[in-house]
Amino acid sequence: MAKPVLQDNTPRKTKFTFEEAVDVWLRRLNGQFQHEIAAAYVINVRAVNQVLKEVTHIGSKEVAASRRSA
């Protein structure tokens, strides 16, 4: 009998780089939800939330806004 296939949903990343944080902002400004962003990066939603609350990667919001308007 074959073994059942187990899905591994364990997040692999624990932190974003600055460029990834800019992308998080761009995705959020385009209407994506935090859990969708987290799923795209296979990271915990808390890491996304820390970027959006500007606890980590301060300045990424401004960079994303300037890229969006350019």
Side-chain angles (χ1 to χ4, degrees), residues 8 10 35:
D8 182 11
T10 308
H35 67 276

Side-chain angles (χ1 to χ4, degrees), residues 1-5:
M1 189 168 187
K3 291 183 180 180
V5 176

Side-chain angles (χ1 to χ4, degrees), residues 5-62:
V5 176
L6 298 176
Q7 185 174 359
D8 182 11
N9 289 331
T10 308
R12 298 287 183 241
K13 288 180 65 69
T14 57
K15 296 180 182 179
F16 285 112
T17 64
F18 188 81
E19 281 302 312
E20 290 171 338
V22 171
D23 185 57
V24 166
W25 275 108
L26 290 170
R27 289 171 180 259
R28 186 68 187 123
L29 292 170
N30 285 324
Q32 269 193 325
F33 294 109
Q34 290 184 32
H35 67 276
E36 294 172 334
I37 299 168
Y41 278 100
V42 190
I43 197 168
N44 194 299
V45 177
R46 182 177 183 202
V48 175
N49 187 266
Q50 287 181 333
V51 170
L52 297 178
K53 286 189 173 182
E54 297 185 277
V55 173
T56 59
H57 299 295
I58 298 168
S60 58
K61 180 180 183 179
E62 289 77 20

